[in-house]
């Protein structure tokens, strides 16, 4: 049994301990505003944010939702909720209001912090969610309010001035801290419950597997509503005392500038971001000499992109993870050979990775099966979703990905067990997109399949049986308030009649065989 009266030693203690150990070292820099924050600054801000939570009625075990781009205030809330024993639920500002409303209903936050540009969508989402949290608006200045939330104070104005030490409850290692949403087999978002212990263990795995140091600096190119925004590098670097540089929007030139001017040492990004950086005018002139390594995640990285980074002397390799476990599970050994570039590496120090058949039995080395993972950094399950939790979480976490282990012990991801595809690091589920497309009056039947794309890795192609005067522009305009933009099909094709493999059952494989080449 965990002694809940013992002093709190988990994530909520990190800003305080970093402030005690390395008070003048910079933990966060904001490339958008030029602001810089030492660990002493971050802890004072976290204490002020704890007082804000309590002023707004947030108690231990309550949830705080935030809809925002990467901003220092989101960091405040990360440390403050950990100190207060509450959970933080960052929600994607890219989602359409119905999707966002579903997540708000599931999280049921006591406090909702919304960045001003997204107030209208959040207001629409709240109206359909059935929840009524206290709202604080995060904007460009302390007095910022919006017409959607005229009674809500601005974040800076509501933040108490007192940054002194706050009393904190005892927090058990299995208490939740982060609720991070991912997709389900039908595209319905699920909230994954990450505990204090899991967050700590992922940091340990990342630090030991990748050799992170206390002087490491990274530009954070993942959004903070993703596990990538927190657990890939941000939290591990704070654990070590490194520096994280954030910005509101991704700009490849700015990232190159951060690496150059801030002495960036480590970088993790999706393949599309890595490609955009190599295509930028500043690629050849940017000083990347301090960049010790780069990693690609969120989908397969093309060999041509990797070669461009290698030509600059950067050790770029592929990684693998998921919100439900990690996300950092593998590492490339020292001196790994380039012929292993399509592998994700070997299991990290505290990760047990296996490849199993449909019965859960291990397959022979070299055979393809489902990748399953076991580690103390695994999530606790899905929020209020016992059926999906039981299906995914057991002795091992079922990833749903097909993989093989080669003769040298390197793991290779071979594809998705289900039909989900990854576009620019975002999971897209065809069934969800098909449901939305099928609502168009010109569509009788539709199948959405992934096709290769140089920029995003994969994008959707809608194969439609229906009115052939329908254009892709018309379809995307129709989907604007129904689906997030990254889920919109980028190609449109027509078929006279859908092939079937049985009574009224569309043969998806036949559709993909005919239309999936481009």
């Amino acid at each position: 049994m965990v002694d809940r009266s013992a002093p709190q030693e988990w994530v909520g203690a990190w800003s305080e301990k970093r402030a005690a150990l390395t008070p003048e070292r910079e933990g966060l820099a904001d490339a958008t505003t030029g602001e810089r924050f030492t660990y002493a600054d971050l802890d004072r801000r976290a204490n002020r944010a704890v007082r804000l939570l309590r002023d707004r009625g947030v108690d231990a075990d309550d949830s705080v939702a935030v809809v925002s781009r990467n901003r220092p205030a989101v960091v405040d809330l990360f440390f403050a909720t950990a100190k207060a024993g509450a959970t933080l639920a960052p929600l994607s500002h890219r989602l359409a209001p119905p999707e966002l409303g579903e997540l708000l209903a599931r999280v049921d936050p006591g406090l909702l912090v919304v960045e001003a540009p997204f107030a209208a969508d959040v207001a629409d989402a709240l109206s359909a969610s059935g929840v009524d949290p206290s709202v604080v608006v995060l904007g460009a200045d302390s007095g910022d309010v919006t017409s959607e939330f005229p009674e809500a104070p601005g974040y800076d104005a509501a933040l108490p001035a007192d940054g002194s030490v706050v009393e904190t409850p005892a927090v058990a290692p299995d208490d939740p801290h982060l609720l991070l949403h991912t997709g389900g087999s039908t595209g319905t978002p699920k909230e994954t419950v990450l505990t204090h212990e899991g967050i700590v263990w992922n940091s340990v795995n990342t630090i030991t597997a990748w050799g992170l140091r206390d002087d490491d600096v990274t530009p954070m190119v993942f959004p903070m509503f993703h596990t990538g925004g927190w657990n890939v590098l941000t939290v591990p670097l704070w654990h070590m005392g490194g520096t994280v540089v954030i910005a509101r929007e991704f700009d490849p030139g700015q990232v190159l500038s951060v690496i150059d001017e801030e002495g960036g040492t480590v970088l993790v990004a999706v393949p599309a971001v890595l490609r955009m950086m190599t295509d930028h005018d500043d690629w050849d002139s940017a000083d990347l000499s301090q960049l010790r390594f780069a990693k690609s995640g969120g989908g397969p990285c093309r060999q041509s992109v990797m070669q461009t980074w290698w030509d600059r002397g950067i050790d770029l390799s592929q990684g693998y993870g998921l919100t439900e476990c990690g996300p950092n599970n593998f590492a490339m050994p020292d001196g790994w050979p380039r012929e292993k570039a399509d592998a994700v590496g070997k299991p990290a120090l505290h990760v047990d990775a296996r490849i199993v058949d449909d019965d859960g039995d291990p397959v022979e080395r070299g055979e393809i099966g489902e990748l399953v993972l076991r580690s103390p950094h695994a999530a606790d399950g899905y929020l209020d979703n016992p059926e999906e939790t039981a299906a995914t979480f057991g002795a091992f976490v079922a990833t749903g990905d097909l993989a093989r282990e080669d003769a040298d012990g390197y793991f290779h991801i071979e594809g998705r067990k289900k039909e989900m595809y990854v576009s620019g690091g975002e999971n897209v589920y065809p069934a969800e997109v098909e449901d939305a497309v099928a609502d168009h009056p010109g569509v009788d039947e539709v199948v959405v399949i992934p096709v290769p794309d140089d920029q995003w890795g994969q994008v959707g192609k809608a194969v439609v049986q229906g009115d052939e005067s329908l254009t892709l522009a018309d379809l995307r305009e129709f989907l604007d308030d129904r689906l997030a933009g990254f889920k919109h099909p980028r190609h449109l094709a027509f078929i006279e009649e859908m092939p079937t493999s049985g009574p009224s059952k569309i043969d998806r494989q036949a559709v993909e065989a005919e239309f999936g080449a481009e």
Side-chain angles (χ1 to χ4, degrees):
M1 292 289 291
V2 174
D3 180 8
R4 295 181 65 89
S5 66
Q8 184 268 106
E9 295 290 339
W10 295 91
V11 179
W14 283 4
S15 65
E16 180 180 351
K17 290 187 175 182
R18 272 282 149 227
L21 295 170
T22 55
E24 298 308 313
R25 186 179 295 166
E26 288 183 347
L28 183 71
D30 187 344
T32 299
T33 64
E35 294 176 292
R36 312 183 75 88
F37 305 90
T38 65
Y39 280 101
D41 294 332
L42 291 178
D43 189 52
R44 283 191 293 268
R45 289 177 63 94
N47 290 335
R48 296 172 66 193
V50 171
R51 292 183 167 90
L52 168 63
L53 300 187
R54 291 172 176 167
D55 287 349
R56 310 300 291 188
V58 175
D59 297 319
D61 301 325
D62 286 341
S63 294
V64 175
V66 57
V67 181
S68 174
R69 294 168 296 178
N70 295 0
R71 300 182 67 117
V74 184
V75 176
D76 299 345
L77 295 171
F78 174 85
F79 286 122
T81 50
K83 283 175 178 278
T87 54
L88 179 65
L91 304 179
S92 172
H93 54 78
R94 299 176 182 170
L95 296 174
E99 300 166 312
L100 195 56
E102 183 176 348
L103 290 179
L104 285 168
R106 188 164 299 155
V107 170
D108 191 16
L111 173 65
L112 172 60
V113 179
V114 54
E115 190 180 9
F118 313 114
D121 281 350
V122 170
D124 289 344
L126 275 177
S127 66
S129 70
V131 298
D132 186 25
S134 174
V135 176
V136 172
V137 176
L138 178 58
D141 55 63
S142 60
D144 195 14
V145 295
T146 66
S147 58
E148 292 83 5
F149 301 106
E151 303 300 320
Y155 178 83
D156 290 341
L159 201 64
D162 187 357
S164 63
V165 175
V166 293
E167 290 187 8
T168 58
V171 175
D174 60 353
D175 281 344
H177 178 224
L178 282 177
L179 300 177
L180 297 178
H181 59 78
T182 184
S185 59
T186 63
T188 301
K190 299 189 294 290
E191 287 288 345
T192 309
V193 182
L194 276 64
T195 66
H196 284 253
E197 182 177 29
I199 294 168
V200 170
W201 271 108
N202 178 72
S203 282
V204 171
N205 264 334
T206 306
I207 291 164
T208 55
W210 295 356
L212 297 185
R213 308 187 311 216
D214 61 1
D215 61 348
D216 274 329
V217 177
T218 190
M220 179 45 54
V221 298
F222 290 97
M224 285 179 163
F225 56 75
H226 265 185
T227 189
W230 297 107
N231 293 318
V232 166
L233 276 178
T234 299
V235 175
L237 282 186
W238 287 336
H239 203 170
M240 286 296 295
T243 305
V244 177
V245 184
I246 61 171
R248 303 296 173 271
E249 308 289 349
F250 166 72
D251 176 80
Q254 185 183 57
V255 177
L256 289 169
S257 176
V258 167
I259 295 172
D260 187 335
E261 297 173 9
E262 299 282 349
T265 58
V266 292
L267 171 70
V268 182
V270 299
V273 166
L274 295 169
R275 182 184 180 89
M276 282 186 259
M277 291 174 68
T278 64
D279 289 341
H280 195 272
D281 291 342
D282 294 340
W283 170 253
D284 290 329
S285 61
D287 183 358
L288 308 180
S289 60
Q290 294 193 66
L291 195 59
R292 295 192 295 113
F293 68 83
K295 278 196 167 290
S296 173
C301 189
R302 292 180 181 270
Q303 183 88 11
S304 60
V305 175
M306 300 185 76
Q307 186 64 56
T308 306
W309 283 84
W310 298 339
D311 290 344
R312 290 295 309 270
I314 307 301
D315 182 20
L316 171 64
S317 61
Q318 303 199 65
Y320 174 86
L322 63 164
T323 308
E324 291 87 342
C325 193
N328 301 328
N329 295 284
F330 294 89
M332 297 300 277
D334 291 345
W336 62 276
R338 290 291 184 253
E339 58 264 26
K340 299 293 188 182
D342 64 342
V344 296
K346 298 185 177 184
L349 193 62
H350 303 288
V351 175
D352 183 4
R354 300 182 185 181
I355 299 172
V356 300
D357 59 23
D358 289 342
D359 295 323
D361 298 321
V363 302
E364 296 291 328
R365 181 173 284 190
E367 292 184 3
I368 295 175
E370 182 179 4
L371 176 65
V372 297
L373 300 168
R374 178 169 61 187
S375 172
H377 68 207
D380 203 41
Y382 298 120
L383 180 67
D384 297 333
N385 197 332
E387 290 185 4
E388 291 283 0
T389 295
T392 302
F393 297 90
F396 285 79
V397 175
T399 69
D401 286 316
L402 299 174
R404 64 178 173 86
E405 182 183 2
D406 69 20
D408 300 313
Y410 287 79
F411 281 67
H412 303 252
I413 306 302
E414 298 292 342
R416 304 295 181 179
K417 191 174 182 181
K418 297 180 181 179
E419 296 160 357
M420 181 268 288
Y421 61 93
V422 178
S423 183
E426 298 277 4
N427 292 351
V428 183
Y429 295 84
E432 180 190 23
V433 183
E434 289 160 6
D435 285 344
V437 172
D439 285 339
H440 192 286
V443 175
D444 298 326
E445 292 281 5
V446 59
V447 169
V448 173
I449 58 174
V451 294
D453 183 82
D454 286 341
Q455 182 174 11
W456 303 113
Q458 291 178 307
V459 294
K461 182 177 187 177
V463 180
V464 168
Q465 177 183 324
D467 183 0
E468 296 191 13
S469 68
L470 177 66
T471 67
L472 181 62
D474 292 337
L475 182 59
R476 295 197 66 188
E477 181 179 2
F478 175 78
L479 296 174
D480 272 344
D481 61 350
R482 291 170 168 80
L483 289 174
F486 63 83
K487 299 178 183 179
H488 289 195
R490 301 301 177 96
H491 299 277
L492 178 63
F494 291 90
I495 190 170
E496 185 174 343
E497 185 176 354
M498 290 290 180
T500 59
S501 57
S504 302
K505 184 177 181 181
I506 294 175
D507 187 343
R508 300 183 65 92
Q509 290 185 338
V511 174
E512 188 159 1
E514 182 175 354
F515 293 95
E518 64 178 72

